[in-house]
Amino acid sequence: MRRVVARVSAEVTTPFPDRKFDGVFTISTELSPMASPAFEVGRPNDAEVVLSRLLEKSIRRSGALDTESLCIIAGAKCFAVRADIHVLDHDGGLIDACCIALVAALQHFRRPDVEVHGEDVTVFDTREREPVKLAMQHHPFCVSFSFYHGGETVVLDANLAEESVRDGEMIVSMNRHGEVCQIAKYGGVPVDPLTTLNCSNVALEKVKVLHQFVQTKLDQDEKKRDKGGLMAELNAANSRELANIPG
């Protein structure tokens, strides 16, 4: 079983001096003993370091989130978006599961709407104005491949037991358009170019399936939550008030 919780939050802050027209986007990962006895509190291991590095390259450095859209006043105010990844149950495929959770959370999140008058910025409550979606430029996913028998056998999405006996691994990050964000190969058995190309083709088909799955779930959630938006809520409140007026 693989369970990952991704939480996205946003606050107004000051942009970095060298990136005055960009907002701030950070990713934080946590591997606790709840996920696996191999993890210890306060002592990051190799798995957590690799996970953070791959998510940074796949999501943040690939420009999946448009950070310029987070700018409110250039050089003065911007949104700082933070994504916290908590692994609850680890049974292999850690990077793949965390990437899916992160991409879904970023699409699901809504930041507060703002209004700017000169140097004055008004941040509206969700009951005052409809919150705004984050501007996502593309949706990358990670696909892991495990190699056995000197690289002759390749397994897609291995579980924890299979990962413990593999000879090497390779992680391919790409979006549904086939644009490769990164190919990570950390040691292990060498992989020839033809195998890498074949893995990339398999990863593309897997990414298309993942993209469709995430979009379907998001659409289902949107239908459950959206009953007409803020105006429908206000109309319903007015109707209740009119119903209570004696006459």
Side-chain angles (χ1 to χ4, degrees), residues 147 151 154 170 191-200:
F147 300 96
V154 184
M170 182 172 67
V191 178
D192 60 78
L194 181 58
T195 301
T196 302
L197 180 60
N198 291 335
C199 288
S200 299

Side-chain angles (χ1 to χ4, degrees), residues 139-178:
H139 307 117
F141 293 93
C142 294
V143 181
S144 299
F145 297 89
S146 299
F147 300 96
Y148 304 86
H149 307 119
E152 295 183 2
T153 304
V154 184
V155 175
L156 173 67
D157 194 22
N159 58 34
L160 186 59
E162 294 169 336
E163 288 182 355
S164 64
V165 296
R166 65 189 175 191
D167 298 329
E169 68 170 327
M170 182 172 67
I171 298 96
V172 179
S173 302
M174 65 168 55
N175 57 32
R176 65 189 179 97
H177 304 295

Side-chain angles (χ1 to χ4, degrees), residues 107-127:
Q107 294 184 77
H108 185 270
F109 179 72
R110 305 288 188 273
R111 66 164 177 81
D113 196 8
V114 296
E115 190 173 88
V116 180
H117 294 285
E119 297 296 325
D120 297 327
V121 177
T122 302
V123 181
F124 292 97
D125 185 81
T126 55
R127 296 183 63 86

